[in-house]
Amino acid sequence: MAPRAQLDKAAWSWAEDVTPEDVSEEHVELAYRINTPACRRGICRRNCKGNPNCLVGIGEKAWLGEIDGYTDDPNSERRDENAFVGLANLGATCYVNAFLQVWFHNLELRRSLYRCHVAPAQEPSDDDEAYEPRSISEHLRCLFALLQNSNRRHVDPCGLVTALGLDTGLQQDAQEFSKLFLTLLEDSLDPGLQKVIQKQFCGEFSYVTTCGRCGRVSPLPSTFYELELNIRGHKDLTECVSEFLEEEKLDGDNRYFCGGCRSKQNATRRIQLHSLPPTLNLQLMRFVFDRQTGHKKKLNAYVSFPELLDMGPFLEGTEGQRCMYELSAVLIHCGVTAYSGHYIAHVKDACTGDWYKFNDDETERMEGKALHLGVEEDIASNQSQKPRCNNHCSRDAYMLVYKVLEGQRDTGPSRTDAEVPAFLQRLVERDNLKFEEQCVKMADKRKQRMDKWKEVKELYELLPAADGQPYEFVPLDWLRTWLDKSAVTTEIDNSLCLCSHGKMHPGKVGEAKRVSLPAARLLYKRYGGGPRLDASSLCKECVAERCRVLRLKNQIAEDVKEVSSLVKSTHSGEGFWVGRASLRAWQRMALRQLEEGEQETKHGDEEETRTFNDDVLCSHGTLSTQIVERRLVPSGAWSTLRAYFPRAPEFGRWHQPCSRCFSREQEEKATASDQEDQLCNLFAERNRPRLTRWPRGTEVLYVVPACFVDEWRKFIRSPTKSPAVSSVDNSQLLCPHGGVTFSYDSLVDGGARRIALLWPDEWETVNRLFKVDRPISIHRSPRATPDDRVPPRYSTLPEPCRECREGLPVQRQKRDLREFARATIYIRKMKMVKQEANAMEQNGSSSDVEEERDRPPTEVDGDARGADYNESVDMVKRLKLDNGATGVAPGAAPHFEANHNSNNNDSNDNGVKTTEAVRRRSTRNRKRVGDKALTVSANQTLRELKLQIMSAFKVAPYDQNLSVDGQRLTDDSATLGGLGVTPSSTVVLTADEPIDGYQYETDRLYRARMPEEGFKGTGLLGY
């Protein structure tokens, strides 16, 4: 179909040859496009607004397919029989879901959580719908109960994730989450059940160090919840375990301090396994640190692991130990990098022995009772890494979970004994009831969709109106709402398509569609509304008016040339007054009026017609006296203009100007002439007093605002155009306290532009002619004697306000510093003092350490001390050469305080002047080597600044300690202007970094227990 503009042009092409009086019914149907061909589906890709017969692209496509594809099945969210329940992914929480499924299938852990004591007051009753779990253990057991007995296909772990304070959009390390969560869970359990975690997951080993000289053996006992195995260069799990336990030599700089030899000696160190837990977690260290790139990377090497693992060869003193383990879970990290990917859990059902794949909300039972890792194991079977019988091979396996064989377990409850407590079961049943209600609502919605689908299928075929058949107009927006799945269909409203005659507006035909009479009857019967617009609603009056407007638009170009020619030609006789501004803009005004006439149903817009020739009117509504603002045009030109502006004011040459305006102008001219005569020197700016050359014989000069003199001169020059001045506003030269905002000296220095000086006789005249609110004067005190060389004194009345004059520049300067839009600041990274860092590491909770951190950072040795420190050292060296003595001990570095007290002596004990006394350095901030410049604004928050610093220094925001001028910046939501950060400020940055120098045992324990930075600020660290 042709574009809308072409359709409009074709619909009104007849208007050039037909006058408004000759418009017929045929012309009306052409204007409303009744016979325009309808569009066909498949040919027209979108709806043609200019064609009322186009019913394509209004939303029908969503309803013309099969109903099953467009409705929700209430059973799609229902749990299948004998299937496990999945967990919804909240964004990037797949690592949480994977471990939750592994822990849920640990029956001993699940039973322990179910046995956890709950106070009777906290137990939810049948009528208590507002029960909210408090501790982590309560959240976890509620989630386990839902995973066990819920009717849903998957449940939402939002409560537990929110309680932990995890960022759902940030993926973390699964192994680190496991360690921290088990520790937190153990702390939240009852005292009688706290040992369950240790009993299930905790084993014992020792770091055994043997002195190479005396043979002394030094064991260091420790516990573990998982074994971290290196996989680089290994293809089999047993090789990884063997390397973990192999002996290590300590020599060279890494020698061991022997307590027996009382000195550092060469030694050997190895790990001895003493006991293994029932659930053995083996962490395959796929994420390693790459020293070349400075980032973590993933090792995608294949590793083979068995379903039955014999740990007997690795234990020392295995009498009575349970050594045979069977594979119970495999955690998979899908992805090639360490910073992205997806976690999946393969878990073996402890009751049936079947393997299941848990991928967030999707659960899948594997065929048979064997573990299938999918495509990667199939690829490995075709390569050299082909696994042996009952072995598996994977390059994405991240953690392996083994359980001791059933025959070696301690006697206890049955494996299938994991009954949900009554109060938890009530919560599950309540959630199941809500789910069933949702299913009912979903079924009702599905029924409504099916009914709507049938309705649309029935009515859409009836919508097109055949040629010569009865029809009605229906708004296009309503039809789109009717075909919109998400919108609620209201009654049909045709009021926006009506003209002033209550019929169909011809300009609104593109916003409505012509439908058949049977379809219109069904739509109005089901939805109601109105008024109904049929063939009798075509408005002939509006079509005729539109025809007139179009003819005028085509004629206006010729009329512009005609009017211009008539106005320029000389003419005699009578004419009509037209405003010069209206005469220049009449074409634009006429076009705008005609365009509005096409949209409005009435002839023109009254407000616009009054604008033409309104510039010849005075305030009384008659002919203005300003003859320069109007022009006399011939009668022929005026007749053409009147055809476009029939309501324009008409004034012939014989009309007299407004008598009241004429009288007022005469009075204003007389007033201006009188004031000019009395203040002729002020008007002509002759013989004016000057402060730099005070006139002799005059002791006082008066002050008025310069703007008063400027406005008064405008009135004198043009009394009929400029308003008269009636008062002198001297209050603008006064402060709120009543004092003047200037002094004699400030006026002499160039501040006299705002004022005008008057002679005493001129001041008397001004007081008589105008209303003065407050007199302001400058006085000169007479000399004591004619020969006195003491300069005269000058004063003002009122006196200057000292408070405002002194405070205004300071306030303006402070405001400019705190309201900058783009400015440069400097970031200086400092190292933390070693003693302070050690104190923070050893006494992390000490209040003294926190007070030390609140102090401004101290610069350290090396280049970080900056140029000022080197200058100070050089100065001391020069003083030592000049005086032969110094207060610094030989070989010792001189010590300088960062801030000197004003009461300190400028000399040291030996009488030598210090650097502060010899050279006073500027206290302003200086950019040093290593400082980085950042562009910031005053309304930028501290959090946004930390993100900029992270990009520049690679320091995470939570590791940044910022300060300005010794004041720490802690409020991340505060703006930089509010925190006192000004242009060219130096922001000092100290970063939390690990401390070197620990012994081997402490370092290993430190790495095993310290969390990753990604969990800072979460509930996993007790925050």
Side-chain angles (χ1 to χ4, degrees), residues 241-445:
V241 179
S242 299
E243 188 205 24
F244 180 78
L245 302 175
E246 71 180 5
E247 190 175 81
E248 176 187 5
K249 293 183 179 181
L250 303 179
D251 53 11
D253 295 336
N254 199 26
R255 288 186 300 170
Y256 170 71
F257 184 85
C258 178
C261 300
R262 312 299 295 178
S263 62
K264 287 188 176 182
Q265 300 293 336
N266 294 337
T268 58
R269 175 176 289 134
R270 64 188 182 91
I271 296 177
Q272 286 185 354
L273 289 177
H274 301 305
S275 64
L276 298 176
T279 302
L280 179 61
N281 295 324
L282 300 180
Q283 168 69 23
L284 304 182
M285 300 180 64
R286 292 196 175 273
F287 298 155
V288 296
F289 182 77
D290 189 350
R291 295 184 178 274
Q292 295 182 353
T293 62
H295 300 284
K296 289 196 301 184
K297 70 175 183 179
K298 180 182 177 181
L299 300 179
N300 294 296
Y302 282 96
V303 176
S304 175
F305 51 92
E307 288 196 7
L308 292 178
L309 178 62
D310 184 8
M311 291 296 292
F314 306 109
L315 283 174
E316 297 193 12
T318 58
E319 295 79 5
Q321 290 284 328
R322 299 165 293 177
C323 301
M324 292 300 299
Y325 285 82
E326 62 177 347
L327 185 65
S328 64
V330 180
L331 269 70
I332 299 293
H333 176 267
C334 302
V336 295
T337 67
Y339 297 97
S340 63
H342 183 61
Y343 287 93
I344 299 175
H346 295 77
V347 185
K348 185 177 183 180
D349 183 13
C351 300
T352 63
D354 295 332
W355 279 92
Y356 286 83
K357 177 182 178 181
F358 294 92
N359 185 4
D360 290 334
D361 56 351
E362 299 179 0
T363 61
E364 176 187 355
R365 188 178 71 86
M366 301 181 183
E367 296 181 0
K369 294 184 179 295
L371 170 64
H372 301 284
L373 295 180
V375 178
E376 61 165 342
E377 194 168 30
D378 296 337
I379 295 176
S381 64
N382 297 326
Q383 300 177 359
S384 59
Q385 294 88 0
K386 182 176 181 179
R388 298 187 300 271
C389 183
N390 295 327
N391 276 29
H392 301 277
C393 190
S394 172
R395 62 178 179 182
D396 286 328
Y398 180 74
M399 179 176 286
L400 306 176
V401 180
Y402 283 88
K403 289 186 178 180
V404 69
L405 282 177
E406 180 68 18
Q408 302 179 96
R409 291 180 181 269
D410 296 333
T411 58
S414 172
R415 295 184 63 188
T416 59
D417 184 16
E419 184 179 356
V420 178
F423 76 95
L424 288 178
Q425 184 60 32
R426 289 198 298 269
L427 291 178
V428 175
E429 292 174 355
R430 186 179 302 161
D431 182 76
N432 289 338
L433 180 61
K434 292 181 180 179
F435 173 70
E436 296 300 333
E437 294 175 353
Q438 294 175 0
C439 289
V440 172
K441 293 181 180 179
M442 193 178 299
D444 294 340
K445 188 176 181 180

Side-chain angles (χ1 to χ4, degrees), residues 693-713:
R693 294 182 180 180
W694 190 275
R696 295 184 179 180
T698 303
E699 302 297 335
V700 60
L701 293 176
Y702 291 89
V703 177
V704 294
C707 58
F708 159 75
V709 179
D710 295 338
E711 295 297 326
W712 175 73
R713 286 173 179 163

